[in-house]
Each structure stands twice: as structure tokens, then as C-alpha cells.
Amino acid sequence: MSNVPEMFGCRVFNDDIMRARLPKEIYKAFRKTREDGKPLDQTVANSVANAMKNWAIEHGATHFTHWFQPMTGITAGKHDSFVTPVDPCKVIMEFSGKELIKGEPDASSFPSGGLRATFEARGYTAWDPTSNAFLKDGSLCIPTTFCSFGGEALDKKTPLLRSMDLLDRQALRILRLFGDTETTHVTTTVGAEQEYFLIDKALYEQRKDLLYTGRTLFGAKPPKGQELEDHYFGVIKPRVSAYMKDLDEELWKLGILSKTKHNEAAPAQHELAPLFTSSNIATDHNQLTMEVMKQVASRHGLACLLHEKPFAGVNGSGKHNNWSMSTNNGVNLLEPGESPRKNAQFLLFLVAIIRAVDQNQDLLRIAAASTGNDHRLGASEAPPAIISIFLGDELTDILQSMLDGVKYESPDKTYMEVGLDYLPRFKKDTTDRNRTSPFAFTGNKFEFRMLGSSASIAGANCILNTVIADVLCEFADELEQAEDFRPALRSLLRRTIQKHQRIIFNGNNYSDEWVQEAQSRGLLNLQSSADAVPYYLCEKNIRLLTRHGVFSESEVYSRYEITLENYTKQIHIEALTMADMVKKDILPAVVSYMKDLSTTACQKKQLSDRISCYVEETLLTRLSALSSELYKQTEQLEQHVAKATQIEGVGIEAIGRYYRDVVFAQMEATRVIADEIESLVGESYWPYPTYGKLLFSVK
Ligand code: ADP
Ligand code: MG
């Protein structure tokens, strides 16, 4: 299919298809449910289910699945067939409203963080009518939420939907204060830019570390890395270009508008940016994008790596979460306005975000916490682990002038009053050249740049929506009571800027000075996930997350437990993989090389005493010493891992710190030696493709 408009969304049961296929009344009732979250009655559900089934069968589907997002961070679904027997030799294809609305998959193999008692293994999936059903691999996939028997969220979508609903309600209260009586809904919007690596699949399959852990645990630096910066935005190679074309088409069919693509900073690294949409759909789309990226790569003899740090010494991959709020009339609430009134409203939202971010640095850091992402944050390639906000000079100056009660000097040297009635008209500043900020205002949206490339964006957006909605609620509470709105607003803005200006930083976030400066400003610097995740349970956070019903207390606890558990499990698997690689592959390779060296040296000596054996002897001496050392370090690593499984009763936080301080540190020590050995051993002896091959072989 080459016609893009025809191809776009052809696997999606979208609004147009629904309007065309559903009786008018049913379609209207469905739209009401979608827009206002009204419960769907059984006849409507039956009618929608029937239309969905017919459409799916016409497109070759035989099965349906409730597609959900458990706390593993990837998607899941149990595939049931439409086939229903009517008598011993006849079947019909059936799908009822009941099956559309609710499913009961076995939940026992999904992480629950203590939410699901083992005697109650059932989980429930419930249709999310705000996200379209779609066709994938012969199944009709129905986006659903996933919860336990007791109604607790076992997934990432449920809290995200709750947070969107919360923000909708609180933002509307603010709009009403500014005299907006027309807007009926505010939706959070997201565009998630996705970074990834593409390498040759045959080479990928030769590396146990990539297969088991998604990243290379060993690998000496190649002679060329990313020093020349010749890859960034460079010419896309033919094999990669064919992949990207195919990927775009597959995504378009699923209604995902992949818009731009380019090479990233590291060799073999690329990026895809979609058009933004509502947070919920953007999350579903990002999950699908990651799945499709891998599938299409496989068809092209490539492997798509979504790990945050597949290669040491080379930039890792992240995800930029572009975030804003939009009214049902399509007005972006973070777009600076044309009139002072609009600008005052814009400033209120902006200042609310500043307060929310400063007050909840810990929660935002947690939202980016994972074993993989720990390699990036603070490594001069991604923002540091310190949260701050980039506003750009002009906005920062305007806030400062408001605070000081002085005139604002604009870039063209004119002076303007700054009062709510005299706000300067400022242009949307699209010249954001500060790529080092973790949370940057980019003209009409914020870009949260800390997320890891493999993460689901659901968690981060749920936190963003909740912390911002909480401040909007607080602001609305105060302003709704005010006798005189304008002075009350001015006082609120001033007070808030005064209190939270420490979070604004327009400088280089990668510099050492910033780490010092941030410390003196009292900002948090939570270096690893093991440091960050325990903050989930601070009283402030539990209160905030439960206050508006986004999470229950046990749901917060379950997220805390699962995140820490994943963190330690991943390091555990990495450590075992390392030990396996050393003993089964690396040491045998070195020994075999040393054997050839010593055989050659002996043969030379037999021929004549005067033939130099300098190379053989030097290498043998060095490699003997290094391989003994590697063996010892590996034994040590295995002992540390064994001990970790014995330390019970110390609590999950202590185990997390143990894995970071002891096991992970030991992995680093082991790797250094293996990498040095690699640089000395003949390439034909080495059991794994080198960094050079992995990074530069796709043409
Ligand atoms: P930049 O060049 O600053 O990265 P782009 O306009 O190319 O900006 O957008 C980058 C990403 O931000 C895209 O995925 C885009 O869809 C998303 N984006 C743009 N506007 C919004 C918005 N209002 N809300 C959420 N995401 C947005
Ligand atoms: Mg960007």
C-alpha cells in the first residue's frame, strides 16, 4: 500500500468507522461515554462489540484480546477466539458487549507488589473506551485497564486515567476563574520522542549479555566512538533508511503518526518523534511503537535496542516526554497569550508547574528511576539526577520583574510594566538550545527529558498530572475564596515565585558547578534508583498521591516494592550473566590464545635461541596475570550475589543498596579487567563481536 492517507489508521477501529457502522443513537451514546466517562449500557456495548467484531473479521482477525499494561512495563493480553460452537458440527463468530467491557485473565503471573493475595489469583480487565481498538497479529486488541479482585490497580493505565481526570477537574476550576465558561474539558497532551539503537541481528545473537540483559556487560572501546560527532543528524544509511520506511508504514497503519526521524549522537543510534496526542493514547502508542520497532527490525535482519545504556562510553538512549494541557477546543494552555488576560492565565499555570516540580523533585526523580536509566542520569549525556526547570531568559526575567515590582526590560530594550494588567507580550521562544535541562519549557510545552528509553511513559505522566493538578487545586481553593480576584492572583503569583525560584536554572546542567550550586540551593540529588525509590513512602508523597484518589495507600506501596524489586532483579541477572560469560567464553578464549602463544614461543626456541620471543612472552606474562585477576574478581562477584540471596529480613531498601554498592560495584571491577584482556587478545580468538563491529557494521 503506497497511499499514505489510505494506509493511515487502516488497522484501527476509529471514530470514522464507528460513525459509519453504528446506528446513530448508539454512536451518540458511545461518544458520550468517551467524552464524559458516562457508564455504557448493555445494548450500546453489544452493538459496539458486534460492529467491532464484524470489522475485525473482515480484516482477517480470528481472535480478540484485552490488551493491558501490567506493572512489568510491557503490554500483555490473553487471546480468545471469536469462535462459538452452536451445535457439534457448526461454529459461529461471536463477541458480546459483556466480553468487550470486562475480562478475567489469570493475574497470578503479573507483579502485584502485595496487592493480590495468592488465594485470589483472578484479575479483571475493563475496556478503556478513550483509546481505539486495533488489529495486531490477527487479533482485535482492546485497550483495557487491569485491576485486582479488590479493585486495586495492577497496571499503569488506571492511575494515569485517574490523574488525567483529576487534572481535567482542577484546570477547569482555574479556567472558570478567568471567566472561561465554554471549555468543558482539559486534556493533558504528550509527544514522546523515542531514542533507539539498531545493530546487526546476527551479531546481536552472538552476545549473551545483549540477549539476557539488553546491554553489553563487556566491550573494549573501539578506536572510533562518537568523538567526531559525524553521526548526529547525518546521512541515514540505506539499510537503516529501509527500516525506517517500513517502521513508519507499520506505525501509520496503527494510527500512530511518526513524524520525524533522524540519526542521534551515538553511532548506530536513531530517534523517532510522533505527533502529540492525549496522554493516555500517547502512552498506548508509545508501547506499541516499541513493540513494532523490535518486530520490524527483526524482519530487516536487525536488532532494535531500547536499553538505556547498551554500550559503555557511548551515549545511551532516553525518551523526551513533551507535555502540555489542551482544552476541548484545542487551545494549548501553555501557549503564551496575545492579551494580558491570557498571559495572566498562562502565568498562573506556569507558576503552578514551578511549584509542583519544586515540591515534588523526589517523585519526578522516581518517575525516571530504573536500573538502566541509572547509567545515564548524571553521566554528561542525559540530565543529571538533580531536577530543575529551564525557562529561558525572557520568562525568567519577567518572573523576576514581577517579584521585584519593577519594570521589565525586554530584549529590544523597551521597558514594560509588569502587573497583571500590564504583562508584556512575549513571543513564543522556540530557540531552546539548552539540551541539558531535565525539565525545559520549549515555547508552548514542557519537555521532561529524564525518562529512560525502555520505560513506559505512563508512570511519569501520572506523576506529572497529579503533582500539577494538586497545586492547581490549592490555587483554585485560594482564589475562589478571594474577594478581589486580581490582587489575590498577584499576591499568589509573587508568593509562589518567591518560594520556588530556586528550582529555575537556565545554565549548563552537566557542569560540576551546578552540582555544587544545586546543593547550596537545597535541591535533591538522588543519584541512583536505590536512593530515589524509598522516597515513595515519605508522608508527603503518600498524602499527595492518595489525597485525590489517584492511588490508594496500598497501590503506592505496591509501586514502591515492584520498582525496587525490578531494580535488584536486573542487577542480579546481569551479575550472573557476567560470571557465565567469563567462565564459559572469555577465559577459555584467553587460555586458547595463550596456548598458541606459548606453542609458538617453544617452537621458535627449538629452532634457534636467537629468534626473539618478545611478543609471545610479554603477552603471556600480561595475559596470565590478567586472567588470574579476572577469575578472582568473578569468584568475588559470585560470592557477593550468593550473599545477597541469603540476606533476608533486612528489608527491600537495604537489599537495593547492597546490589548497588556491592554487586554493581564488583561488576564494574570485573569488567575493567575483561576489557583490558579483550584489547590484548587476537580478534579471531575473542568469543564476541567487538564494539567496533556492533556499532559500525550496519551499512
Ligand atoms: P522540538 O523541535 O522542540 O523537539 P517539536 O515541535 O519537533 O519540538 O516537537 C517535539 C515533540 O513534542 C513532538 O513529539 C511533538 O509532537 C511534541 N509536542 C509538540 N507540541 C506539543 C504539545 N502541545 N503537547 C505535547 N507534546 C507536544
Ligand atoms: Mg525534543
Side-chain angles (χ1 to χ4, degrees), residues 164-183:
M164 288 173 71
D165 181 55
L166 170 68
L167 190 127
D168 179 14
R169 282 181 281 123
Q170 303 307 333
L172 271 183
R173 289 175 69 195
I174 301 290
L175 293 182
R176 296 288 181 262
L177 284 165
F178 283 90
D180 175 343
T181 52
E182 284 175 2
T183 301

Side-chain angles (χ1 to χ4, degrees), residues 191 193 262 271 273 320-322 432 435 442 445 447 449:
E193 299 165 71
H262 60 77
E271 186 190 282
H320 289 176
N321 191 84
N322 294 275
D432 163 35
R435 310 298 293 173
T442 51
K445 61 186 189 290
E447 190 167 336
R449 298 189 178 129

Side-chain angles (χ1 to χ4, degrees), residues 226 320 485:
Q226 64 185 64
H320 289 176
F485 177 66

Side-chain angles (χ1 to χ4, degrees), residues 115 168 224 233 249 259 367 393 401 423 534 540 542 600 603 680 691:
L115 283 178
D168 179 14
K224 176 181 165 169
F233 279 71
E249 291 193 0
K259 208 183 63 156
D393 292 339
S401 310
L423 268 175
K540 162 196 86 99
I542 294 194
T600 313
Q603 284 169 348
L680 297 172
Y691 264 32

Side-chain angles (χ1 to χ4, degrees), residues 606-678:
Q606 272 172 10
L607 280 174
S608 155
D609 270 351
R610 275 174 308 180
I611 305 179
S612 162
C613 292
Y614 179 77
V615 172
E616 292 82 357
E617 282 169 6
T618 316
L619 280 171
L620 271 171
T621 313
R622 190 85 196 104
L623 285 172
S624 297
L626 282 169
S627 47
S628 305
E629 186 57 23
L630 179 60
Y631 191 74
K632 283 182 204 153
Q633 295 287 352
T634 308
E635 278 185 322
Q636 186 77 71
L637 179 63
E638 289 180 310
Q639 281 162 17
H640 288 326
V641 174
K643 215 163 133 202
T645 53
Q646 291 156 12
I647 46 168
E648 270 177 29
V650 296
I652 186 167
E653 283 178 24
I655 295 179
R657 281 193 298 271
Y658 176 83
Y659 267 94
R660 180 202 57 197
D661 295 339
V662 181
V663 179
F664 184 71
Q666 182 61 34
M667 283 169 61
E668 303 254 273
T670 311
R671 174 180 182 143
V672 172
I673 300 161
D675 288 356
E676 190 177 346
I677 294 177
E678 184 187 331

Side-chain angles (χ1 to χ4, degrees), residues 170-179 344-349 351-352 420 470-496:
Q170 303 307 333
L172 271 183
R173 289 175 69 195
I174 301 290
L175 293 182
R176 296 288 181 262
L177 284 165
F178 283 90
Q345 182 185 300
F346 162 77
L347 275 184
L348 180 73
F349 281 115
V351 166
L420 285 177
D470 183 64
V471 176
L472 293 177
C473 172
E474 197 190 325
F475 282 9
D477 285 347
E478 181 175 327
L479 295 172
E480 281 164 359
Q481 300 301 318
E483 282 181 12
D484 197 349
F485 177 66
R486 305 203 77 77
L489 174 60
R490 193 176 312 133
S491 137
L492 173 69
L493 289 180
R494 271 207 184 143
R495 225 182 315 129
T496 314

